[in-house]
Amino acid sequence: MADAYVVDTGVFLRWFVDQPGYEHARQIRDDFLHDRVKLETADFARIEVAGVLRKKGLLAGRLSADEFIAAVRIIDELGVRVYPVDADRLERAAALAVRLTLRMYDAVFAQLALDREIPLLTTDAKLHRALDGVVETELLKDASPQ
């Protein structure tokens, strides 16, 4: 396990929803809460997490309305370090997306990991493979293969 990670949306989602890899995601969360690991993310992760939790949590009946509303604040309330996606970072991420044929959201998380010189923790096996040799990544244990 690394000392710090850039965390993508799939990891945050598994803090609330029992999807493959949720045990490891919750262990990482607990390690963070006990100061054993640092977690960082991009500012748009708040919006992406809220959108996914609405669909896979609230609308799927896994979260109540109150749980969903509270969950959208979790990144900030737990003290995950949040970095802005300014025009320069977005431009570098766009170049990475072109070079590696990545979705822009994935490219932003990958670029942040490059900028911060720490691994990206992801649930996305396809992204993990695409970044091999370019961005250090760690695939969440037991996350489903894609």
Side-chain angles (χ1 to χ4, degrees):
M1 183 169 82
D3 293 333
Y5 294 103
V6 169
V7 179
D8 75 6
T9 302
V11 177
F12 291 125
L13 170 67
R14 284 157 177 79
W15 288 4
F16 299 96
V17 178
D18 293 352
Q19 290 191 333
Y22 77 92
E23 297 97 341
H24 186 206
R26 291 175 192 169
Q27 181 61 54
I28 293 287
R29 178 200 58 204
D30 293 346
D31 287 344
F32 171 71
L33 293 174
H34 291 98
D35 294 322
R36 292 187 289 260
V37 66
K38 293 181 172 134
L39 301 180
E40 305 179 2
T41 199
D43 57 2
F44 73 85
R46 295 178 184 112
I47 298 164
E48 195 176 26
V49 167
V52 174
L53 281 176
R54 180 181 175 276
K55 180 179 178 183
K56 296 191 177 198
L58 178 68
L59 298 180
R62 294 175 170 162
L63 295 176
S64 70
D66 289 339
E67 289 169 327
F68 166 70
I69 291 167
V72 301
R73 297 185 55 89
I74 198 71
I75 291 172
D76 294 283
E77 289 193 355
L78 293 184
V80 174
R81 187 156 185 194
V82 177
Y83 287 90
V85 180
D86 61 16
D88 291 335
R89 181 167 286 138
L90 188 60
E91 182 179 25
R92 291 190 307 276
L96 191 62
V98 169
R99 182 173 145 214
L100 301 177
T101 316
L102 302 176
R103 296 174 298 202
M104 275 307 298
Y105 287 112
D106 294 336
V108 170
F109 285 120
Q111 186 60 54
L112 180 59
L114 281 171
D115 292 348
R116 299 288 305 133
E117 298 181 346
I118 59 176
L120 171 62
L121 182 62
T122 184
T123 59
D124 187 333
K126 184 177 176 185
L127 176 62
H128 178 68
R129 287 188 304 273
L131 295 175
D132 187 42
V134 179
V135 179
E136 185 179 356
T137 62
E138 185 174 316
L139 186 62
L140 202 65
K141 292 177 187 152
D142 301 321
S144 58
Q146 298 171 351

